[in-house]
Amino acid sequence: MNAESSAPTAAGAVGAARPRVEGRAKVTGGARYSADEPVPGLAFGAVVVSTITRGRVLDIDVAAVQDMPGVLGVIDHRNAPRLNPEAGHFFGPDGGLRLLQDDVIPHPGRPIALVVGETPEQARAAAQALPVVYDVQPHDTEFFFGHPAGRPASALFDGPVDVGDVDAGLAASAVVVDERYGTPEEHCSAMEPHSATAWWEGERLQAVDSNQGPYQIAVTLATLFCLPPERVRIRVEHVGGGFGSKGMCGPQLILAVMAATRFGRPVRVTLTRDQVFLATAQRPATDQVIRIGADADGRLRAIDHVAAFELSPLAEYIEGCTELTKTLYAAPAIRTRLTAVPLDILPPYSMRAPGAAPGSFALESAMDELAERLEMDPLKLRLRNEPVVGPVSGLPFSSRNLVACLRQGARRFGWADRDHRPRMRREGSLLVGTGLAATSFSTGAFPSTASITAEPDGTFTVVVAATDLGTGARTALTAIAADALEVGVEKIGLRISDSDLGPAWSAGGSRGTASWAWAITEAAAKMRGPERPATVTVDTTHLLGELPSRERHAYSAVFAEVTVDPATGEVRVRRLLGLFAVGRVINPLMARSQVIGGMVGGLSMALHEEGVRDPVSGRHVNPDFAGYHIAAHADVPDIEAEFVPDHEPGLPMGVKGAGEIGNVGTAAAIANAVWHATGVRQRQLPIRLDRVLED
């Protein structure tokens, strides 16, 4: 396939607004999630988690619960199967996966035992009654920028850069912004708790799990339990949200496999809501310092972005806060540094728009502060610094429609009528302000396989190990296959969400649809030949190497209007408008839902979400939806989202990812609007009432 000659295809199923193919099943209760799957002879496991932050388990008194009604037994570090220490994920080996292997407690909420019973209630009652004696040891959960344990973050991606002379550029600038921005721990907060059911069929391990990529989870699980990959099968039919928290092999699956192995029957493990907070990965807290220098006309001279994020010693991870700084604006000098701070916490992992969301808040807040000091329209400042090529890489952009997002959004929002001075609009006792943010999110594809079988009745069975997180992947892939095979959608039968279907990228990183679509379209091209085979299987690994080197990104511009009550500190978002360049839109109905959901997540990040730890105990104090606030219906205004015409050359059908980009710029746009309303800059998220309240 010639990557550069790829062009939009004729209109068909792709581009049409179609309802979800599984929609009726979901609204009528027919769709089965992982905890709904009927399995004969099922037992249930209840997880016991550590009540201390760091230390050792001295004793677990199994005898105290063994004779309780329905209890089958208890698994802890003394009798659990041994696990492979080399098992891990994208970032390398992960000690967070090695559950019940020793008496060490490395972080609060660590699973330390699993009680298995005949019913969920019996297992839970015994788990709550299980006596545990601890040796409490000193802990460190206090995150701050200059922490003595800080070290350079892994350079797997978002490595440090130093282009031009940053110090000279800042010294020669007419105006310099030098400010510090922070974001707290945040939790993915998916509606469906993590649940898995595992059992053995002869020598083969079977599991139904709630995750974002069954093939990759199956490979991790096989490595963890020292099994050949072909002896592990994982299915995930429907997922009630993931947002990154189900992108890794979760504790529910590991413990369910342990129990199924020990007790010789199917076992289901479903985490409680507080255990989801305590034992599944969160976005790490960040602390960022940005210095931006510009001439009096607003042309940037230098950007210096140094950021720190919290980490666990158990596993490597990268919260790439500085990634956007390398690509969003033209500056002759750019320097970035990323620091990891190991603490006694659960290993962080990717949450929706990882790195980009906290990084965008800092960068786009700093750009607004620069516009303020230059007495310049923030929109004009951004347009003035539009790069021609990648500011750091020097590579051409595959496509770049950020200017179109900014201009069209400004026109629709009524930006031209804005008085750029703060605290100028009032409605009774309320202050009113508007703000914007521009942003990008990297796109592309990863290797995947797909198979297409031509059935005798004229239909086609399309097989790919994709996952539908509730985003409409089934509907999108059906449309892609139909157009690629030049048939109607009614001719397509789609099979997904099963590790047995072959290697495929997970639903994550805004690369799922592009990766799966590439495999499907390649298989379809072979299927359309003059001597059509019955079945075609393709692997796109070799094709990825043929893509020319380009900067590939989706883009957005988000505009926000807020009201602020200075007497109470209450901030209300009145309007949100997002303009998005996400390549060819497969299904406008679902894509709009995706980016609107992302903007709601960004609103929640701006005003509500904050994981709080007790400074003395180190434990979470709000691991539930009563204490961890997320945006509810009453917090969400009438949100508008539109797409500018866009196409990604090199990727089939010109698609980019839409899953992350909605989150990325929204928090910054809201924070900038709050400054415009009040004249006070909020550099720490969330923008709580006590931070806004005026005397």
Side-chain angles (χ1 to χ4, degrees), residues 142-387:
E142 185 182 2
F143 170 70
F144 55 92
F145 193 89
H147 195 289
R151 59 167 176 79
S154 168
L156 181 62
F157 66 86
D158 198 21
V161 301
D162 200 343
V163 175
D165 192 331
V166 169
D167 295 326
L170 292 171
S173 296
V175 175
V176 174
V177 169
D178 184 348
E179 298 294 351
R180 184 173 177 177
Y181 307 88
T183 60
E185 288 183 359
E186 298 168 19
H187 296 267
C188 295
S189 304
M191 183 179 295
E192 178 203 20
H194 296 56
S195 181
T197 305
W199 68 97
W200 289 89
E201 289 184 359
E203 294 296 310
R204 197 156 196 242
L205 177 62
Q206 301 275 352
V208 176
D209 181 41
S210 181
N211 66 57
Q212 296 179 215
Y215 181 81
Q216 297 194 10
I217 300 295
V219 170
T220 300
L221 195 69
T223 304
L224 192 61
F225 283 88
C226 302
L227 296 169
E230 62 272 13
R231 287 183 55 193
V232 178
R233 181 190 185 192
I234 296 179
R235 292 179 291 123
V236 47
E237 191 62 26
H238 295 284
V239 182
F243 313 113
S245 71
K246 296 173 182 174
M248 60 189 297
C249 189
Q252 75 285 350
L253 180 58
I254 298 168
L255 296 174
V257 172
M258 285 183 171
T261 302
R262 178 163 180 78
F263 296 104
R265 59 187 288 187
V267 177
R268 175 168 296 157
V269 176
T270 302
L271 302 185
T272 63
R273 180 60 65 188
D274 65 324
Q275 289 171 352
V276 170
F277 277 86
L278 296 172
T280 67
Q282 75 282 342
R283 191 197 303 278
T286 74
D287 197 350
Q288 307 175 58
V289 175
I290 293 188
R291 295 188 296 162
I292 303 182
D295 292 332
D297 65 356
R299 297 195 183 276
L300 299 183
R301 280 185 171 268
I303 308 176
D304 186 24
H305 187 175
V306 293
F309 64 93
E310 60 183 9
L311 188 74
S312 166
L314 294 176
E316 191 60 74
Y317 174 69
I318 307 162
E319 186 73 7
C321 305
T322 62
E323 186 176 357
L324 297 182
T325 306
K326 303 171 187 178
T327 190
L328 206 53
Y329 299 114
I334 298 176
R335 181 169 60 207
T336 67
R337 295 290 184 273
L338 198 58
T339 297
V341 179
L343 299 172
D344 299 319
I345 62 171
L346 176 77
Y349 199 63
S350 301
M351 181 176 166
R352 197 173 190 182
S360 169
F361 166 66
L363 178 63
E364 287 300 277
S365 294
M367 284 293 287
D368 243 50
E369 297 207 53
L370 181 63
E372 172 195 348
R373 297 175 197 188
L374 289 166
E375 297 183 349
M376 179 179 288
D377 177 357
L379 173 64
K380 183 178 179 181
L381 176 64
R382 288 168 171 83
L383 293 173
R384 179 154 292 177
N385 291 284
E386 173 70 5

Side-chain angles (χ1 to χ4, degrees), residues 120 576 621:
L576 273 180
V621 299

Side-chain angles (χ1 to χ4, degrees), residues 57-76:
V57 175
L58 295 180
D59 184 54
I60 299 177
D61 188 1
V62 174
V65 302
Q66 188 66 63
D67 294 331
M68 290 181 66
V71 172
L72 299 176
V74 178
I75 302 176
D76 59 36

